[in-house]
Structure formats: structure tokens, C-alpha cells
């Protein structure tokens, strides 16, 4: 197969910080609205249980409410800390992304795998990066300045032709 594009990006603490800020701008509203909806639903069920003198069920809903709030507040904090302290950021892992006609390949000093384009969840473009989301939390980050084969404009056209309904 003929390599169409190649990009080498090093994951640094600054790059990860930019990604987290970008991710929060894109997904925080949805996350917060979902949290609010579930909180309203739990409070409604809790009040209903107390109204009908089901004290035990009302207390279970209070417990569920507290666990849900702790999870929604602290899980993202711990997740970001864990990722920021991971080896890929601490040791500045360098990924080389090679793009072929039907798939992409990701190589670094510990791993090598290929990925069909249809498995990419979403693609976002910013001034400096392309974010190729694999799922709602994980993304490959491609710096626009580090293309060794091809250029960012042609890459955008190429990826858009492969994932036209997933580009944002």
C-alpha cells in the first residue's frame, strides 16, 4: 500500500493540557446537562418516596444521590490526573501516524496497530491540531506542524472524504 500521509506527534504535558481544554469546551455542556437531568430525576423519586412515607426508599435515593454526585464530580478529576501522570505524557511518547487508502497505522516505541477509518468516532480540527476521537474520551492528537508526508490542508480533504459525517 502507498502511504498517503504521515504525521509524528509527541505527547507533552502542554499538548495534553490543550486537549483537555478543547475536550471540556466540546463536551462539558452535554455532561452537565446529563448530570442535571439525572439529579432532577433522583430528587423527584426521593421526594415522592418521602411523600408516600416510604422512608427506607427515600433514604436509599439520598444515598444514591450522594454517590452519583461524588462520581460525577471526582471521576473526571481522577481520570485527567491519571492520564496526565501516565507514561505517554510523562515520557513524552511519540506516535507516528501513517494514513493509507483504507486504514491508518499508529506506531510508537512500544506498540504498533492499524485502525480502519470507520472505527473513528469523530474528527475535530483546530488551528494547531487534528483530534481523531476513538471514543468519547480518547483521541489521537495530530499536530498540523509535523506532517512528513502530505500537508494539513490535503489531510483535511482526505479525512473528510473518508469520514464526511464525522468531521467537525
Amino acid at each position: 500500500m502507498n502511504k498517503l500521509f504521515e504525521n509524528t506527534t509527541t505527547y507533552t504535558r502542554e499538548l495534553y493540557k490543550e486537549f483537555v481544554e478543547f475536550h471540556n469546551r466540546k463536551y462539558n455542556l452535554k455532561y452537565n446537562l446529563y448530570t442535571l437531568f439525572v439529579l432532577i430525576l433522583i430528587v423527584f423519586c426521593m421526594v415522592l418516596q418521602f411523600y408516600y412515607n416510604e422512608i427506607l426508599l427515600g433514604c436509599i435515593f439520598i444515598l444514591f444521590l450522594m454517590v452519583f454526585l461524588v462520581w460525577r464530580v471526582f471521576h473526571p478529576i481522577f481520570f485527567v490526573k491519571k492520564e496526565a501522570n501516565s507514561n505517554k505524557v510523562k515520557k513524552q511518547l511519540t506516535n507516528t501516524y501513517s494514513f493509507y487508502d483504507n486504514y491508518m497505522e499508529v506506531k510508537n516505541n512500544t506498540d504498533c496497530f492499524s485502525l480502519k477509518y470507520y472505527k473513528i468516532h469523530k474528527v475535530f480540527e483546530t488551528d494547531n491540531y487534528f483530534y481523531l476521537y476513538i471514543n468519547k474520551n480518547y483521541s489521537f492528537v495530530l499536530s498540523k506542524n509535523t506532517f512528513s508526508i502530505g500537508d494539513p490542508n490535503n489531510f483535511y480533504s482526505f479525512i473528510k472524504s473518508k469520514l464526511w459525517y464525522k468531521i467537525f
Side-chain angles (χ1 to χ4, degrees):
M1 277 265 162
N2 201 14
K3 201 181 287 187
L4 303 173
F5 298 94
E6 186 172 78
N7 181 292
T8 304
T9 302
T10 302
Y11 284 66
T12 63
R13 195 169 288 279
E14 293 78 26
L15 183 134
Y16 184 68
K17 183 181 174 190
E18 280 186 56
F19 169 70
V20 169
E21 289 171 359
F22 171 82
H23 183 80
N24 287 341
R25 278 194 312 273
K26 287 292 177 191
Y27 290 104
N28 257 5
L29 179 63
K30 185 177 177 182
Y31 186 85
N32 291 335
L33 288 176
Y34 175 78
T35 302
L36 182 65
F37 174 75
V38 171
L39 286 175
I40 290 170
L41 189 64
I42 293 171
V43 168
F44 174 76
C45 291
M46 180 183 63
V47 168
L48 203 60
Q49 297 310 313
F50 284 124
Y51 180 76
Y52 287 110
N53 290 325
E54 294 290 338
I55 305 302
L56 181 61
L57 274 175
C59 291
I60 290 172
F61 276 109
I62 289 174
L63 180 64
F64 186 65
L65 177 72
M66 290 188 307
V67 168
F68 180 74
L69 279 174
V70 167
W71 174 259
R72 293 300 275 193
V73 170
F74 290 110
H75 178 260
I77 294 169
F78 291 133
F79 182 77
V80 168
K81 260 188 190 174
K82 178 185 163 197
E83 288 295 313
N85 292 324
S86 69
N87 282 337
K88 69 181 173 189
V89 175
K90 274 183 155 178
K91 294 183 179 180
Q92 296 188 351
L93 180 71
T94 299
N95 281 343
T96 301
Y97 305 98
S98 301
F99 295 88
Y100 300 92
D101 195 36
N102 296 320
Y103 66 96
M104 66 181 276
E105 199 172 77
V106 182
K107 292 181 188 175
N108 55 44
N109 55 358
T110 60
D111 207 6
C112 176
F113 63 92
S114 62
L115 183 71
K116 297 273 186 185
Y117 293 119
Y118 73 87
K119 291 187 177 184
I120 296 175
H121 180 64
K122 286 185 181 178
V123 177
F124 291 98
E125 180 186 20
T126 65
D127 291 340
N128 300 318
Y129 301 103
F130 290 104
Y131 298 111
L132 279 64
Y133 275 81
I134 304 308
N135 60 33
K136 67 178 186 170
N137 291 322
Y138 290 102
S139 173
F140 293 125
V141 180
L142 282 74
S143 174
K144 287 185 173 181
N145 300 329
T146 57
F147 276 91
S148 56
I149 298 175
D151 63 75
N153 293 331
N154 289 335
F155 176 75
Y156 178 79
S157 299
F158 168 76
I159 204 74
K160 188 175 182 178
S161 71
K162 298 292 180 185
L163 304 165
W164 58 270
Y165 58 94
K166 297 180 180 183
I167 296 263
F168 297 96

Coordinates of all heavy atoms in Angstrom, one line a residue, residues 10 18 24 27 34 53 61 68 81 90 92 103-104 112 118 124 127-128 137 139 142 157:
T10 N 4.5 14.3 19.3 CA 5.0 13.9 20.7 C 4.0 14.4 21.7 O 3.6 15.6 21.7 CB 6.4 14.5 20.9 OG1 7.3 14.0 19.9 CG2 6.9 14.1 22.3
E18 N -3.8 21.2 26.4 CA -4.6 21.8 25.4 C -5.8 20.9 25.0 O -6.9 21.3 24.7 CB -3.8 22.1 24.1 CG -3.0 23.4 24.3 CD -2.2 23.7 23.0 OE1 -2.9 23.8 21.9 OE2 -1.0 23.8 23.0
N24 N -13.1 19.7 27.1 CA -14.1 20.3 28.0 C -15.0 21.3 27.3 O -16.2 21.4 27.6 CB -13.4 21.0 29.2 CG -12.8 20.0 30.2 OD1 -13.2 18.8 30.2 ND2 -11.8 20.4 31.0
Y27 N -17.5 19.1 25.3 CA -18.4 18.1 25.9 C -18.9 18.5 27.3 O -19.8 17.8 27.8 CB -17.7 16.8 26.0 CG -17.5 16.1 24.7 CD1 -16.3 16.1 24.0 CD2 -18.6 15.6 24.0 CE1 -16.1 15.5 22.8 CE2 -18.4 15.0 22.8 CZ -17.2 15.0 22.2 OH -17.0 14.4 20.9
Y34 N -26.7 16.3 31.3 CA -27.0 15.0 31.6 C -27.0 14.8 33.1 O -27.9 14.2 33.7 CB -26.0 14.0 31.0 CG -26.2 12.6 31.4 CD1 -27.2 11.8 30.9 CD2 -25.4 12.0 32.4 CE1 -27.4 10.5 31.3 CE2 -25.6 10.7 32.8 CZ -26.6 9.9 32.2 OH -26.8 8.7 32.6
N53 N -44.5 8.2 52.5 CA -44.0 7.6 53.7 C -43.2 6.4 53.5 O -43.2 5.5 54.3 CB -45.2 7.3 54.7 CG -45.7 8.6 55.2 OD1 -45.0 9.6 55.5 ND2 -47.1 8.6 55.4
F61 N -32.6 6.6 48.0 CA -32.4 7.6 47.0 C -31.5 8.7 47.4 O -30.7 9.2 46.6 CB -33.8 8.2 46.5 CG -34.5 7.4 45.5 CD1 -35.6 6.7 45.8 CD2 -34.0 7.3 44.2 CE1 -36.3 5.9 44.9 CE2 -34.6 6.5 43.3 CZ -35.8 5.8 43.6
F68 N -23.9 9.4 43.3 CA -23.9 9.9 41.9 C -23.1 11.2 41.8 O -22.3 11.4 40.9 CB -25.3 10.0 41.4 CG -25.4 10.6 40.0 CD1 -25.1 9.8 38.9 CD2 -25.8 11.9 39.8 CE1 -25.2 10.3 37.6 CE2 -25.9 12.4 38.5 CZ -25.6 11.6 37.4
K81 N -6.1 13.4 36.0 CA -4.8 13.2 36.7 C -4.1 11.9 36.3 O -2.9 11.9 36.1 CB -5.1 13.2 38.2 CG -4.9 14.5 38.9 CD -5.0 14.3 40.4 CE -4.9 15.7 41.0 NZ -5.1 15.6 42.4
K90 N 4.2 11.6 30.6 CA 5.5 11.8 31.4 C 6.7 11.6 30.6 O 7.7 12.4 30.6 CB 5.5 10.9 32.6 CG 4.8 11.4 33.8 CD 5.0 10.4 34.9 CE 4.8 11.0 36.2 NZ 5.0 10.0 37.3
Q92 N 6.9 11.6 27.3 CA 6.7 12.2 26.0 C 6.7 11.2 24.9 O 7.5 11.2 24.0 CB 7.7 13.3 25.8 CG 7.6 14.4 26.8 CD 8.4 15.6 26.5 OE1 9.3 15.6 25.6 NE2 8.2 16.7 27.2
Y103 N -7.1 2.5 5.7 CA -6.8 2.4 7.1 C -5.7 3.3 7.5 O -5.0 3.9 6.7 CB -6.5 0.9 7.5 CG -5.2 0.4 7.0 CD1 -4.0 0.5 7.7 CD2 -5.1 -0.1 5.7 CE1 -2.8 0.0 7.2 CE2 -3.9 -0.6 5.1 CZ -2.8 -0.5 5.9 OH -1.6 -1.0 5.4
M104 N -5.5 3.5 8.8 CA -4.4 4.2 9.4 C -3.6 3.3 10.3 O -4.1 2.3 10.8 CB -4.9 5.5 10.1 CG -5.6 5.2 11.4 SD -6.2 6.7 12.3 CE -4.7 7.1 13.2
C112 N 2.3 -1.0 17.9 CA 2.0 -0.7 16.5 C 0.7 -1.4 16.2 O 0.5 -2.6 16.5 CB 3.1 -1.3 15.6 SG 2.7 -1.1 13.9
Y118 N -13.6 3.7 9.6 CA -15.0 3.6 10.1 C -15.0 3.5 11.6 O -16.0 3.8 12.2 CB -15.8 2.5 9.4 CG -15.5 1.1 9.9 CD1 -16.1 0.6 11.0 CD2 -14.6 0.4 9.1 CE1 -15.8 -0.7 11.4 CE2 -14.3 -0.9 9.5 CZ -14.9 -1.4 10.7 OH -14.6 -2.7 11.0
F124 N -12.1 16.4 14.9 CA -12.2 17.8 15.1 C -10.9 18.5 14.6 O -9.8 17.9 14.8 CB -12.4 18.2 16.6 CG -13.7 17.8 17.2 CD1 -13.8 16.6 17.9 CD2 -14.8 18.6 17.0 CE1 -15.0 16.2 18.4 CE2 -16.0 18.2 17.5 CZ -16.1 17.0 18.2
D127 N -6.8 25.2 15.2 CA -5.8 25.9 14.5 C -4.5 25.1 14.4 O -3.7 25.2 13.4 CB -5.5 27.3 15.2 CG -6.7 28.2 15.0 OD1 -7.5 28.0 14.1 OD2 -6.8 29.2 15.8
N128 N -4.2 24.4 15.5 CA -2.9 23.7 15.6 C -3.0 22.2 15.5 O -1.9 21.5 15.3 CB -2.2 24.0 16.9 CG -1.9 25.5 17.0 OD1 -1.5 26.2 16.0 ND2 -2.2 26.1 18.1
N137 N -13.9 9.6 25.0 CA -12.9 10.1 25.9 C -11.5 10.1 25.4 O -10.7 10.9 25.8 CB -12.9 9.3 27.2 CG -14.1 9.5 28.0 OD1 -14.6 10.6 28.1 ND2 -14.6 8.4 28.6
S139 N -8.6 10.2 22.3 CA -8.3 10.8 21.0 C -6.9 10.7 20.6 O -6.0 10.8 21.4 CB -8.7 12.3 21.0 OG -8.4 13.0 19.8
L142 N -3.0 14.9 16.3 CA -2.0 15.1 15.3 C -1.7 16.6 15.2 O -2.6 17.4 14.9 CB -2.6 14.7 13.9 CG -2.6 13.2 13.6 CD1 -3.7 12.4 14.4 CD2 -2.8 13.0 12.2
S157 N -8.9 17.3 3.6 CA -9.7 16.9 2.5 C -9.8 15.4 2.4 O -10.9 14.8 2.2 CB -9.1 17.4 1.2 OG -9.1 18.8 1.1

